[in-house]
Amino acid sequence: MELGRVVGKVVCTVKDPKLHGIRLLLVEPLNHRLQAVAAPFVAADSVGAGRGEIVYYETAREAPFAFPTVQPPIDAAIIGIVDTVQ
Amino acid sequence: MRLGKVVGTVVATQKDPKLTGNKLLVIREMQLDGSLKEDFSVAVDTVGAGVGECVLVCAGSSARLARNLQDCPVDAAVIGIVDTVEHDGKVVFKK
């Protein structure tokens, strides 16, 4: 998993049926000093994160497990909202 | 997932039999300022996207979870046609 910051959202009306009801957020990857290290990408939100919040996300084959019953075709999923980073 | 723009299609008569019936799209990754990156990739279309449309592309083995791609040799699938992209409170892309 890695740290990220929610910086926006993406809306798709026409999409894979398994994605219906899943929010798609723009996430900016961060380093341990919470500085942006790459361009934003799109991640499926499984915890109800809002814009500006620091989150952690998982990528690749494990991302669909954030939605175990649905297993949508996603390669990035937000799985937690960070309270503190020490 | 990555935002991409459909810039073309690929037709391959000789291909893996499991790919038969799937449309192959040429995608260039789109950045938030609307510009396109140099490199491009080929993705299987599962939502009926056309050339010129902004799409959402899922890469890696999760792409096989898209509609009827279960055991296809695929590592990139177009899973959505983007309507709007909002970045820092501003709409940076609108269909």
Side-chain angles (χ1 to χ4, degrees), chain A residues 7-19 24 26 40-42 44 51 60-61 64 71-76, chain B residues 1-3 32 46-47 56-59 61-67 70 79-89:
Chain A
V7 291
K9 70 178 179 193
V10 170
V11 174
C12 298
T13 316
V14 176
K15 56 192 169 189
D16 189 277
K18 291 191 242 178
L19 283 172
L24 299 167
L26 271 179
F41 61 94
V42 183
R51 190 155 57 90
R61 186 63 183 92
Q71 293 278 327
I74 55 173
D75 60 19
Chain B
M1 287 76 78
R2 299 280 163 189
L3 295 170
L32 290 179
T46 66
V47 287
L56 200 56
V57 180
C58 170
S61 69
S62 310
R64 284 186 290 109
L65 294 169
R67 196 174 2 197
Q70 271 61 38
I79 55 166
I81 298 173
V82 175
D83 295 324
T84 59
V85 177
E86 190 192 299
H87 180 238
D88 282 345

Side-chain angles (χ1 to χ4, degrees), chain A:
Chain A
M1 281 96 71
E2 283 161 27
L3 288 174
R5 174 185 294 119
V6 177
V7 291
K9 70 178 179 193
V10 170
V11 174
C12 298
T13 316
V14 176
K15 56 192 169 189
D16 189 277
K18 291 191 242 178
L19 283 172
H20 284 299
I22 295 178
R23 290 170 70 228
L24 299 167
L25 299 178
L26 271 179
V27 175
E28 197 172 49
L30 304 177
N31 63 16
H32 57 290
R33 291 194 205 89
L34 304 187
Q35 295 154 339
V37 292
F41 61 94
V42 183
D45 174 29
S46 71
V47 287
R51 190 155 57 90
E53 286 195 305
I54 306 295
V55 294
Y56 63 95
Y57 61 89
E58 61 182 358
T59 55
R61 186 63 183 92
E62 286 66 34
F65 294 124
F67 304 87
T69 55
V70 182
Q71 293 278 327
I74 55 173
D75 60 19
I78 295 170
I79 52 171
I81 298 173
V82 175
D83 294 325
T84 60
V85 176
Q86 287 161 356

Side-chain angles (χ1 to χ4, degrees), chain B:
Chain B
M1 287 76 78
R2 299 280 163 189
L3 295 170
K5 185 150 256 182
V6 180
V7 295
T9 57
V10 169
V11 175
T13 320
Q14 290 280 29
K15 59 187 173 212
D16 187 287
K18 293 192 192 103
L19 278 176
T20 309
N22 284 314
K23 200 165 83 172
L24 302 172
L25 298 176
V26 180
I27 311 280
R28 281 180 69 185
E29 190 175 339
M30 194 176 94
Q31 302 182 83
L32 290 179
D33 58 4
S35 63
L36 300 182
K37 282 196 176 174
E38 266 311 303
D39 50 347
F40 63 88
S41 60
V42 178
V44 173
D45 174 34
T46 66
V47 287
V51 175
E53 287 195 299
C54 178
V55 292
L56 200 56
V57 180
C58 170
S61 69
S62 310
R64 284 186 290 109
L65 294 169
R67 196 174 2 197
N68 34 15
L69 292 184
Q70 271 61 38
D71 47 12
C72 285
V74 162
D75 69 352
V78 173
I79 55 166
I81 298 173
V82 175
D83 295 324
T84 59
V85 177
E86 190 192 299
H87 180 238
D88 282 345
K90 291 189 298 297
V91 175
V92 296
F93 172 82
K94 191 166 184 58
K95 193 175 171 181

